[in-house]
Amino acid sequence: MSDNLTLPTQQGSTDTPSPEPLLKVEGLTKHFPIHGGFPIKRKVGAVQAVDGVDLTVGVGESVGLVGESGCGKSTTGRLITRLLEPTAGRITYSGQDITHASRRRLAPVRSEIQMIFQDPYSSLNPRQTVGTIIKSPMEINGIEPTGGRETRVRELLELVGLSPEHYNRFPHEFSGGQRQRIGVARALALQPKLIVADEPVSALDVSIQAQVVNLLQKVQRELGIAFLFIAHDLAVVRHFSQRVAVMYLGKIVEVGDRESIYNGPRHPYTHALLSAVPEVEIEGETPARERIRLYGDVPSPINPPSGCRFRTRCWKAQDKCATEEPPLVQLSGNRPGHLTACHFPEDPTTERRDEDVILDPALRALESDAEGGPAGKK
Amino acid sequence: MTTLTKTEDAPAPTGPEGFLSVRDLKVRFSTEDGIVKAVDGLSFDVERGRTLGIVGESGSGKSVTNLTVLGLHSPRTTTIEGEILLDGKELVTATERELERLRGNKMAMIFQDPLTALSPYYTVGRQLSEPYMKHRGASKKEAKDRAIQMLEKVGIPQPKVRFDDYPHQFSGGMRQRAMIAMALMCDPELLIADEPTTALDVTVQAQILDLLKDLQQEFGSAIVFITHDLGVISSMADDLLVMYAGRAVERGSVKEVLRSPKHPYTWGLLSSMPRLDGDINQALDPIPGSPPSLLNPPSGCPFHPRCAFKDQVAGDLCSQERPTLAAGRAAACHLTAEQKQTIFIDKIQPRLR
């Protein structure tokens, strides 16, 4: 573990004196307009992909961003790298506001914030050699490393576990895991301080996933690069990130250090997510985990539920949840930095409850047919 | 109990046989680059009411096996050897007509991606009713009633209204539910689920898995469940078959295989997976290298180029002789039972805590 990291100083909007984070995001919002109508197209609505996200990433820190598809985690990543223009909010990178910075003002920052993409098949130009792919960020930014660019590329290839001889090969000659390594090498070419990794391992096979996770971890520790690690796989995020933010429908519902989120979650959604992760039962000795089965899918971000956005799938929802949006605050009993946005938080434990929470009517019906108990056969 | 027996010299179909039994199945595709040995000598049995899980990485032949069972391969480019017996009936030599009578009736399939597996042109209701009308000779009205009943069973709200919806009007989880309903329309005795939850979110995946499990109890079908996710398998299956490069490398009951795995590949899979309750300071232990090309699979044991323990086997046995998979609980590996025991206890088990 890297000990020299400043730990979780997650602030909402209230500032407490603390070492300045590398990246600070406040109230970040992205609404994609929906156009419709005839003959004159006008804006008829908006996909509220990201709606008021507050997040900080410290120097050399790895922050995980988890959530289901459509929760806005990838959009958040793209906003931070300024691949998308934010609708509202503020992005501060080492003290400077880059929310709407122009291309020219952004140039020096761009080289410090790099991105690793999910799909290693579409994120590498098939007509360029590996050398060209990794070299081009240096060319664009006019960086001439000592010993020349080519030497630097060969060093990078070696660093990510490829052979320097691969310099003149094309992406199609590599397997998925190797391509992802090329993507990592490209991200490292400019010696970035922050890497936004958007689902970097989810397209890979299990045995290859671990190789890439280990590589990213090595990079993070040895080069002290901060990571915003976006993924839907909770176990991978837990392995990689010191701090984790859980997103649901464009909002962060819970954020905190790894220990708090995985062992003492308070938001019902975090409970449901953790409970849904299929785990290999190797030993019977671990305490049984709670069983929560939600009903239905994530609602549309075009017209999200009022108040708390999770209330339509929540078993604790009451009238208050529909009218009042819960603020992201530190609940009593939580560690500093562990913030939850919920009016009626759960107990901070993931152990089995007296009664499973089953919201799915089909499951409930089937399981009450099989006389009440959980229908698992083992 | 499902009796999983591997027989290299496939005997006549006698003795304790599964409802579905596959014997020494070999599937080859001829491609421009040469012959792909997608499945190479695979045998397994599935009993009614039981679930066989098949795990493996992409290209391990797990999907091809099951497409072959259903006869969904292209006959022009595919060569199939071996036997597939469904309730005593040989499927490899069956005519297209015979297969048509079985598909959607006695055996059904749930595909990974419901958006591409459902036709966008017809309503969900029509797609559900069609096989029922065809196989059971039911009237339109009866088929509709049955479809609505099945949609309700799998948890589609307002099934009467949703019957007339098109697949794009359903959300991802709903579509997968509709697929399950469609597969169950004719009470199939064999259900093949090929990565049915891979495209879904975890919370939806959990719903669908539980639903499948509960439905199986009610319908008593045999299920072949294909996935790459050991966690999913651990909650779904009774028996487990681990595949690598078109071959079965380990088999046994799920508990046996996951608690005391015997094949280096299974060890590798387990120790390369981060766990929710694992030690965060313990680095993951990936399997080196990448899966072999099936155009030109390695000689001997297909896993030997990636195996960390091959030097413990005397001589060049691993690269020369293909290890066989014995009957019952077994692993296809040249290491001796004691060696496996020692390696597992000393090196693998501590990592899994």
Side-chain angles (χ1 to χ4, degrees):
Chain A
M1 279 282 298
S2 14
D3 289 320
N4 53 348
L5 298 173
T6 46
L7 206 79
T9 36
Q10 162 73 31
Q11 308 96 331
S13 42
T14 52
D15 262 18
T16 43
S18 62
E20 182 170 315
L22 184 66
L23 178 83
K24 190 167 163 190
V25 170
E26 293 157 287
L28 190 65
T29 303
K30 177 70 189 174
H31 291 181
F32 293 101
I34 305 166
H35 297 286
F38 183 80
I40 301 161
K41 290 219 185 294
R42 60 188 89 215
K43 199 183 147 195
V44 290
V47 177
Q48 303 176 21
V50 177
D51 205 7
V53 161
D54 296 331
L55 194 70
T56 55
V57 182
V59 177
E61 188 189 25
S62 166
V63 176
L65 197 55
V66 293
E68 295 178 285
S69 49
C71 72
K73 53 190 194 306
S74 292
T75 308
T76 307
R78 283 168 181 262
L79 287 170
I80 288 169
T81 45
R82 283 293 313 277
L83 294 175
L84 291 172
E85 191 69 25
T87 311
R90 209 175 129 90
I91 307 169
T92 320
Y93 176 79
S94 42
Q96 31 171 336
D97 184 352
I98 59 162
T99 323
H100 300 287
S102 64
R103 214 183 155 89
R104 181 178 296 180
R105 267 199 46 222
L106 207 56
V109 177
R110 275 254 159 89
S111 66
E112 293 187 5
I113 308 178
Q114 288 292 310
M115 191 151 182
I116 298 171
F117 297 91
Q118 170 172 7
D119 183 0
Y121 290 84
S122 58
S123 62
L124 302 177
N125 187 340
R127 299 172 64 158
Q128 290 184 342
T129 62
V130 169
T132 318
I133 290 173
I134 302 176
K135 198 164 58 179
S136 44
M138 293 190 253
E139 279 167 6
I140 290 163
N141 287 279
I143 290 170
E144 193 65 58
T146 42
R149 285 174 189 151
E150 188 170 334
T151 324
R152 173 79 182 132
V153 172
R154 287 180 197 273
E155 278 168 25
L156 284 167
L157 282 173
E158 218 160 354
L159 178 75
V160 298
L162 293 171
S163 155
E165 283 96 73
H166 291 155
Y167 186 86
N168 282 318
R169 296 221 193 147
F170 286 92
H172 73 262
E173 296 173 66
F174 295 89
S175 66
Q178 287 174 316
R179 286 180 198 220
Q180 202 56 302
R181 288 172 192 270
I182 298 171
V184 175
R186 174 176 59 185
L188 294 176
L190 294 176
Q191 297 173 305
K193 297 202 173 110
L194 172 69
I195 291 182
V196 176
D198 187 1
E199 303 263 16
V201 297
S202 54
L204 307 173
D205 269 323
V206 194
S207 70
I208 310 297
Q209 266 190 14
Q211 295 176 5
V212 175
V213 169
N214 280 358
L215 169 67
L216 292 177
Q217 213 154 22
K218 180 181 122 186
V219 165
Q220 198 227 338
R221 286 175 189 175
E222 289 179 6
L223 308 177
I225 298 173
F227 265 82
L228 182 67
F229 193 89
I230 302 167
H232 67 277
D233 185 330
L234 279 103
V236 171
V237 169
R238 174 176 178 273
H239 193 80
F240 195 78
S241 313
Q242 287 112 34
R243 219 146 51 77
V244 179
V246 182
M247 276 188 84
Y248 186 79
L249 262 183
K251 289 195 184 290
I252 290 185
V253 293
E254 189 157 22
V255 59
D257 56 290
R258 167 165 49 196
E259 170 74 17
S260 306
I261 294 290
Y262 283 88
N263 296 332
R266 303 297 302 272
H267 199 284
Y269 180 61
T270 317
H271 277 263
L273 259 188
L274 284 170
S275 141
V277 176
E279 275 267 87
V280 175
E281 292 160 35
I282 289 170
E283 293 294 326
E285 63 202 34
T286 47
R289 294 188 303 144
E290 60 187 344
R291 179 160 175 262
I292 300 169
R293 294 295 175 262
L294 297 179
Y295 178 58
D297 300 74
V298 183
S300 156
I302 296 173
N303 192 8
S306 64
C308 172
R309 295 191 167 184
F310 185 58
R311 73 180 161 86
T312 49
R313 299 170 83 198
C314 185
W315 58 97
K316 299 194 94 177
Q318 297 182 20
D319 294 346
K320 188 182 177 188
C321 301
T323 51
E324 208 177 300
E325 188 181 323
L328 190 65
V329 290
Q330 185 182 341
L331 300 170
S332 62
N334 281 1
R335 290 196 205 176
H338 179 189
L339 312 178
T340 311
C342 184
H343 292 305
F344 307 102
E346 283 282 342
D347 295 335
T349 170
T350 54
E351 277 177 31
R352 180 155 213 136
R353 299 156 186 244
D354 298 337
E355 204 173 321
D356 294 337
V357 179
I358 313 282
L359 301 179
D360 193 327
L363 270 185
R364 238 186 351 225
L366 284 164
E367 287 178 15
S368 59
D369 285 352
E371 33 127 57
K377 278 165 291 162
K378 279 166 276 164
Chain B
M1 253 303 284
T2 305
T3 39
L4 293 161
T5 41
K6 160 87 178 181
T7 37
E8 287 289 78
D9 47 328
T14 49
E17 280 261 329
F19 169 65
L20 169 73
S21 68
V22 171
R23 286 284 167 279
D24 201 25
L25 181 72
K26 289 188 175 133
V27 184
R28 307 221 155 102
F29 300 118
S30 48
T31 64
E32 276 175 23
D33 300 325
I35 293 181
V36 174
K37 292 180 187 164
V39 180
D40 196 8
L42 180 73
S43 303
F44 63 84
D45 289 84
V46 195
E47 202 88 350
R48 278 191 179 88
R50 301 271 293 184
T51 304
L52 171 74
I54 301 184
V55 279
E57 293 177 283
S58 42
S60 63
K62 53 194 195 312
S63 295
V64 170
T65 307
N66 292 286
L67 289 175
T68 313
V69 171
L70 285 168
L72 294 175
H73 49 273
S74 154
R76 275 194 307 125
T77 51
T78 319
T79 347
I80 297 171
E81 285 169 45
E83 280 185 334
I84 303 170
L85 292 168
L86 180 76
D87 207 7
K89 175 156 179 46
E90 174 61 67
L91 296 184
V92 174
T93 54
T95 61
E96 187 56 29
R97 272 193 92 134
E98 288 172 305
L99 282 172
E100 256 172 37
R101 271 203 290 277
L102 291 172
R103 279 196 292 251
N105 191 13
K106 199 165 186 174
M107 53 187 189
M109 183 139 180
I110 301 171
F111 293 92
Q112 171 172 351
D113 181 1
L115 191 58
T116 49
L118 293 169
S119 165
Y121 191 69
Y122 299 109
T123 62
V124 170
R126 175 163 175 184
Q127 295 183 55
L128 256 77
S129 323
E130 195 182 87
Y132 197 68
M133 282 154 48
K134 184 169 186 249
H135 293 303
R136 296 287 161 90
S139 70
K140 221 169 173 178
K141 172 85 183 51
E142 286 165 345
K144 182 169 180 178
D145 289 346
R146 169 83 180 163
I148 290 173
Q149 184 200 338
M150 288 315 298
L151 284 175
E152 183 159 21
K153 185 140 249 155
V154 297
I156 307 259
Q158 300 172 286
K160 284 193 183 113
V161 181
R162 299 298 246 167
F163 182 87
D164 293 316
D165 276 359
Y166 287 89
H168 72 267
Q169 291 167 299
F170 278 48
S171 68
M174 288 293 165
R175 254 179 242 136
Q176 199 55 286
R177 282 169 198 260
M179 277 269 282
I180 294 174
M182 185 152 84
L184 294 176
M185 278 297 280
C186 294
D187 256 325
E189 291 169 84
L190 172 69
L191 191 60
I192 296 176
D194 189 355
E195 306 251 13
T197 57
T198 309
L200 305 175
D201 282 321
V202 268
T203 57
V204 182
Q205 164 171 289
Q207 298 162 23
I208 300 283
L209 290 179
D210 286 6
L211 184 72
L212 266 178
K213 243 183 337 200
D214 293 346
L215 286 170
Q216 183 188 26
Q217 290 213 315
E218 193 176 316
F219 286 73
S221 324
I223 297 185
V224 178
F225 194 100
I226 306 164
T227 179
H228 65 277
D229 189 329
L230 283 169
V232 170
I233 275 295
S234 140
S235 69
M236 275 304 290
D238 303 302
D239 302 291
L240 182 56
L241 189 69
V242 184
M243 282 189 73
Y244 185 78
R247 300 161 193 196
V249 293
E250 181 160 8
R251 89 150 74 79
S253 77
V254 162
K255 279 193 182 154
E256 285 168 339
V257 175
L258 294 181
R259 288 199 183 163
S260 55
K262 289 189 194 305
H263 195 280
Y265 177 62
T266 322
W267 295 338
L269 278 185
L270 282 167
S271 45
S272 59
M273 257 184 3
R275 294 173 54 82
L276 273 187
D277 53 358
D279 182 357
I280 30 185
N281 294 321
Q282 171 114 35
L284 300 175
D285 194 10
I287 307 176
S290 43
S293 152
L294 294 175
L295 277 171
N296 191 10
S299 60
C301 170
F303 188 62
H304 85 265
R306 302 174 78 188
C307 185
F309 306 102
K310 63 169 179 279
D311 45 352
Q312 297 198 17
V313 177
D316 292 334
L317 208 54
C318 287
S319 59
Q320 277 164 9
E321 200 177 306
R322 177 175 162 183
T324 54
L325 187 67
R329 165 89 185 99
C333 180
H334 286 303
L335 291 169
T336 62
E338 295 89 76
Q339 278 175 321
K340 285 183 203 161
Q341 184 81 9
T342 334
I343 295 172
F344 180 67
I345 290 174
D346 293 350
K347 298 204 173 131
I348 313 296
Q349 209 165 26
R351 306 196 63 98
L352 302 182
R353 291 297 164 91

